[in-house]
Amino acid sequence: YAGAASTLWSGPGGVDKSPCYVLSKIHGFGVLSYCYRIPFEGPLAKLKKKVIELKSEYDQRADTYAYETYKKIHGAISSPQFCNLKNDYFTVHVNPLRSVITSDKIMENYGGDIASLLRLELNPLSFYQQDMILRSRTGYYGDELMVVDSGGAFVYDDNCFDSMELFEFVTIQLLELQYFDRLLDRRLHSFYVNHLDSAKFQRGVPIFELAQLRVDISVITERLENSIRMSGDEYYTDVYDRLVKKLSLDRWREAVQRKLDIIRDLHEVHQTSQDLGFHKRYTLVIVWLIAVESLVGLAHFLHYLWHR
């Protein structure tokens, strides 16, 4: 599953004090997603410790919910299997008080705290690490602020729901790539060990299963990518590109693509082998027919000579 994203709301005044609630989704390609919203009011220093505590607690809750959901729906799934592979991403959303503090003031006064918060560190980070994290800050309007990092994001804005949907989707995309990488490793290893030098390889059943898996993975990854790109919003496209860099999605894409290319090459080699085998059999049939025709002609010639 993906998600388990704890969104903490902080700021003096105007804070939504409703109790925590969970938004769960079941995606058609096999991902369970849980998003938690947890109100919080207090200074930033206390928030760091609170985030660490809550993240651990709600990660465990998500584990329990995911397995309970799986038990309820597994009867409606073909070849059900629970894969305990997960990713999480948390968002700290601060309700803006533009008349009191601007986004520039937040960066000036609390930049170091934000950097350590996004790394879930209680102690201050080095200036180099702070700069690496805060360099990814952005914002649509002049008084808004968003800082994205590999494990979480800080949002100073009126509304963060659109951003959270994007964070959730990128987390799901990363999870899918990690799952596909693991699945392809397992399938290719099994193929190498059991089928590469066996007669089953010649029959082509395992290689066609790998080829079908390659198609399925390519379709899902392409849909995930297009669903983000098709929004047409340049700002969120920029945020997405920052997340891709922070979460090293390109590295996972390349790893998956390398294994898909191996499957493609295996399929091409097998197809070439089949084509050569077909041409060889076809050539033998033609030679056999020519030989038969020659023998028949020779028999007619000998019959002709005998009667002469």
Side-chain angles (χ1 to χ4, degrees):
Y1 65 94
S6 302
T7 305
L8 293 102
W9 302 70
S10 174
V15 179
D16 186 350
K17 298 183 179 180
S18 59
C20 166
Y21 75 86
V22 58
L23 175 65
S24 58
K25 299 177 185 176
I26 302 176
H27 299 271
F29 44 84
V31 172
L32 303 178
S33 175
Y34 299 92
C35 181
Y36 298 96
R37 179 184 178 212
I38 308 167
F40 180 85
E41 184 173 2
L44 196 59
K46 290 185 178 180
L47 178 60
K48 288 197 292 184
K49 184 176 180 181
K50 191 68 175 177
V51 169
I52 296 173
E53 295 174 354
L54 289 173
K55 185 178 181 302
S56 176
E57 175 186 350
Y58 283 91
D59 279 353
Q60 295 177 8
R61 288 195 186 188
D63 287 341
T64 303
Y65 290 156
Y67 189 66
E68 290 177 352
T69 303
Y70 168 75
K71 289 192 293 185
K72 292 179 180 178
I73 65 176
H74 84 280
I77 305 173
S78 58
S79 303
Q81 181 181 3
F82 185 76
C83 179
N84 192 21
L85 183 66
K86 61 183 179 181
N87 273 325
D88 59 80
Y89 198 87
F90 68 91
T91 305
V92 176
H93 175 227
V94 178
N95 291 321
L97 297 172
R98 296 184 175 88
S99 60
V100 178
I101 183 170
T102 64
S103 57
D104 290 337
K105 285 293 185 182
I106 287 182
M107 289 299 301
E108 181 181 346
N109 297 330
Y110 303 105
D113 290 327
I114 293 172
S116 58
L117 169 63
L118 296 183
R119 292 292 172 88
L120 299 178
E121 295 286 351
L122 295 177
N123 298 321
L125 299 177
S126 67
F127 289 112
Y128 174 78
Q129 289 295 327
Q130 291 180 25
D131 180 65
M132 289 289 292
I133 297 170
L134 300 177
R135 194 182 301 170
S136 64
R137 65 183 181 272
T138 185
Y140 193 74
Y141 294 108
D143 52 0
E144 295 177 353
L145 174 66
M146 179 188 297
V147 183
V148 295
D149 197 44
S150 56
F154 179 88
V155 179
Y156 184 71
D157 194 357
D158 290 314
N159 188 353
C160 74
F161 291 110
D162 291 338
S163 301
M164 282 195 60
E165 287 186 354
L166 179 61
F167 299 153
E168 178 189 18
F169 211 83
V170 175
T171 305
I172 291 173
Q173 189 177 17
L174 175 61
L175 179 67
E176 285 294 306
L177 290 172
Q178 292 172 338
Y179 172 75
F180 291 146
D181 184 71
R182 176 187 293 186
L183 177 63
L184 289 169
D185 274 340
R186 189 166 62 246
R187 292 290 183 88
L188 284 171
H189 176 73
S190 175
F191 178 80
Y192 293 147
V193 171
N194 300 319
H195 304 295
L196 190 57
D197 297 324
S198 68
K200 290 183 179 181
F201 177 73
Q202 300 300 324
R203 294 204 296 269
V205 175
I207 194 64
F208 283 120
E209 290 177 353
L210 283 177
Q212 184 59 51
L213 177 63
R214 175 178 178 269
V215 172
D216 293 341
I217 291 176
S218 298
V219 169
I220 292 176
T221 52
E222 187 67 21
R223 285 179 178 175
L224 284 169
E225 182 79 14
N226 288 340
S227 59
I228 295 175
R229 297 292 185 184
M230 288 177 62
S231 65
D233 191 306
E234 293 185 4
Y235 173 66
Y236 285 109
T237 300
D238 176 65
V239 175
Y240 172 72
D241 291 337
R242 294 169 186 267
L243 287 167
V244 166
K245 184 177 180 180
K246 285 290 185 179
L247 275 67
S248 302
L249 254 67
D250 285 338
R251 180 171 60 85
W252 286 103
R253 284 198 197 103
E254 291 171 2
V256 171
Q257 189 58 50
R258 282 196 300 270
K259 295 176 177 65
L260 293 178
D261 290 341
I262 291 172
I263 293 176
R264 181 198 61 198
D265 293 341
L266 285 171
H267 185 258
E268 289 178 354
V269 169
H270 178 264
Q271 192 64 44
T272 301
S273 176
Q274 279 194 324
D275 292 341
L276 289 174
F278 172 77
H279 288 301
K280 183 178 180 180
R281 290 191 296 271
Y282 184 71
T283 302
L284 289 174
V285 169
I286 292 176
V287 170
W288 182 80
L289 289 174
I290 293 173
V292 171
E293 186 176 356
S294 299
L295 290 173
V296 171
L298 180 61
H300 282 293
F301 179 72
L302 293 175
H303 179 72
Y304 172 76
L305 290 178
W306 177 264
H307 286 286
R308 289 288 300 269

